[in-house]
Amino acid sequence: MAGGKIRKEKPKAAAKAATPYQGGISFHKSKGQHILKNPLLVDSIVQKSGIKSTDVILEIGPGTGNLTKKLLECGKMVIAVELDPRMVLELQRRFQDTPYSSRLKVIQGDVLKTELPYFDICVANIPYQISSPLTFKLLNHQPAFRCAIIMFQREFAMRLVAQPGDKLYCRLTVNTQLLARVSHLLKVGKNNFRPPPKVDSSVVRIEPRKPRIEVKQKEWDGFLRICFNRKNKTLGSIFRQKSVLSLLEKNYKTLCSLNILQQGSGGNDDSALDYSNEDQSMEVDEDGDEEEMDMEDGDAEEGEASEFKGKVMGVLKEGDFEEKRSSKLTLQEFLYLLSLFNKAGIHFS
């Protein structure tokens, strides 16, 4: 225009909206798409995985294939499960007409809904929002794999490897360690990804226990839910609550009426834990101030259910658990306490 300057629009906003990579693919943070861009880190993960040349490797969320390429170089075969069809096409294009093409099988779909084939080892940088259900899906997979090397959000990873007395020790910790041995391998800063996530990450090693520790799923889960209701309260305080005593007494009377307390009918159908529908990654134990988390003991009125209450307290005293706290109990102590309750005819499901 006469007498004025034509202003050129700066395409900065549009450029920031998408984060292109190979083939112009943009990544969606909302879908947990954060691709590892540090080749040294990729090499370190593969090295720590201990992959054998005969291994069938499961990779979850391969993205554009940076980790996939290294896995193909080490193992016999890679089975990659990817939800995003754009990434599937990129993977196929990247390895097409290469020596690796015959050793890569790509499954397009939601890993939580996909029946996983046989694999020896799992190596994955997963979308963090599926951390908990995926962990338990893998741990319940049969036949059991040798180990899994998985990148998790750091806090979730530290919950998995927590020890009794640690701040992050919780029900998720105990449930995972019942099924597997978990160890921390390395911390990963957010700047190793494109686009960078808001939090740091950690790589952990998960080895399924062989043989498995057999428990009845509903019984074990009901027991832990009560114990971790307030993990820093004494077990004596937790099991004196009226609501807890009422629930356990109801179970006790039901089982007595069915005359199955002493039958030991077996029925280990539910021995395989399944927490695929539990949002344990969001599980937060309310363990702040003792005053804030203090619960009313809710003792039953004098004479009301006093006999059953004495039975429950007797179990705690027998195992010297009355003054102990869930936040400091080991897995073996939880298993022992549950066995004492069951021996006394007290059940949690």
Side-chain angles (χ1 to χ4, degrees):
M1 293 177 63
K5 294 182 179 179
I6 298 176
R7 297 179 63 184
K8 294 182 179 180
E9 292 187 9
K10 298 178 181 180
K12 289 184 178 180
K16 289 182 180 179
T19 308
Y21 189 62
Q22 298 167 348
I25 293 177
S26 59
F27 301 137
H28 304 299
K29 289 186 179 182
S30 61
K31 296 180 180 179
Q33 292 179 342
H34 301 280
I35 308 301
L36 274 173
K37 67 177 184 179
N38 184 340
L40 294 178
L41 179 59
V42 173
D43 289 342
S44 180
I45 291 173
V46 173
Q47 182 182 5
K48 290 178 180 296
S49 299
I51 298 171
K52 301 176 182 178
S53 60
T54 55
D55 280 343
V56 175
I57 307 163
L58 174 69
E59 185 183 10
I60 299 161
T64 54
N66 292 346
L67 178 58
T68 312
K69 182 175 183 299
K70 294 294 182 180
L71 297 177
L72 285 165
E73 292 173 356
C74 298
K76 176 182 178 182
M77 181 179 183
V78 173
I79 301 169
V81 183
E82 174 59 61
L83 179 62
D84 191 335
R86 301 172 308 148
M87 301 295 180
V88 171
L89 289 174
E90 175 63 22
L91 274 176
Q92 293 171 338
R93 182 167 62 235
R94 182 170 183 175
F95 296 105
Q96 184 179 344
D97 299 325
T98 71
Y100 304 125
S101 60
S102 62
R103 296 196 284 113
L104 173 63
K105 178 181 179 181
V106 183
I107 300 175
Q108 183 179 339
D110 183 342
V111 67
L112 297 180
K113 300 176 182 177
T114 300
E115 184 175 348
L116 299 176
Y118 171 87
F119 62 95
D120 298 294
I121 184 171
C122 174
V123 184
N125 168 30
I126 66 170
Y128 293 156
Q129 58 265 38
I130 66 169
S131 295
S132 182
L134 177 60
T135 299
F136 287 104
K137 179 182 176 77
L138 290 175
L139 288 175
N140 284 321
H141 180 75
Q142 293 296 326
F145 51 93
R146 186 170 75 251
C147 72
I149 310 298
I150 304 181
M151 180 97 67
F152 290 116
Q153 179 177 327
R154 180 161 175 78
E155 182 172 323
F156 184 88
M158 299 316 292
R159 285 176 180 266
L160 296 186
V161 302
Q163 295 299 310
D166 292 350
K167 184 178 180 181
L168 291 177
Y169 191 70
C170 61
R171 189 163 55 94
L172 171 65
T173 311
V174 180
N175 276 328
T176 305
Q177 295 180 11
L178 173 77
L179 299 173
R181 293 179 175 84
V182 191
S183 56
H184 184 269
L185 294 182
L186 52 96
K187 182 179 178 180
V188 182
K190 61 187 77 172
N191 292 327
N192 289 286
F193 299 89
R194 180 183 295 139
K198 294 181 179 179
V199 295
D200 288 333
S201 306
S202 278
V203 179
V204 303
R205 180 184 183 91
I206 301 174
E207 296 181 55
R209 291 186 183 273
K210 298 176 184 178
R212 293 168 66 100
I213 299 175
E214 297 295 340
V215 297
K216 291 188 176 181
Q217 176 192 330
K218 293 181 180 179
E219 183 75 3
W220 174 255
D221 189 45
F223 168 65
L224 283 190
R225 283 179 183 274
I226 290 176
C227 290
F228 278 98
N229 186 276
R230 290 291 190 274
K231 68 179 184 181
N232 286 328
K233 297 293 286 185
T234 65
L235 289 169
S237 177
I238 290 174
F239 281 92
R240 283 191 186 93
Q241 293 176 85
K242 187 174 181 179
S243 58
V244 173
L245 288 170
S246 176
L247 172 65
L248 296 182
E249 186 174 18
K250 182 179 178 181
N251 289 345
Y252 180 76
K253 289 180 177 178
T254 300
L255 289 171
C256 284
S257 66
L258 293 174
N259 195 29
I260 63 171
L261 284 176
Q262 303 301 325
Q263 290 182 6
S265 55
N268 288 326
D269 301 334
D270 61 351
S271 60
L273 291 171
D274 178 9
Y275 296 94
S276 57
N277 294 320
E278 290 196 29
D279 189 12
Q280 298 215 34
S281 60
M282 301 299 292
E283 177 186 287
V284 177
D285 295 290
E286 299 175 35
D287 54 357
D289 268 327
E290 282 291 331
E291 291 183 3
E292 181 181 329
M293 58 169 272
D294 214 13
M295 295 185 303
E296 296 179 3
D297 283 346
D299 285 356
E301 293 179 5
E302 193 68 31
E304 180 183 354
S306 59
E307 183 178 345
F308 183 76
K309 178 182 173 183
K311 191 178 186 70
V312 172
M313 292 300 109
V315 170
L316 294 177
K317 290 177 182 177
E318 178 186 351
D320 195 26
F321 284 104
E322 193 172 11
E323 296 302 319
K324 293 183 178 180
R325 305 167 195 273
S326 297
S327 60
K328 296 183 178 181
L329 290 189
T330 65
L331 171 63
Q332 293 303 322
E333 286 177 312
F334 279 117
L335 289 166
Y336 177 52
L337 177 56
L338 178 58
S339 72
L340 291 179
F341 274 123
N342 288 170
K343 183 180 177 182
I346 299 170
H347 291 264
F348 296 80
S349 64

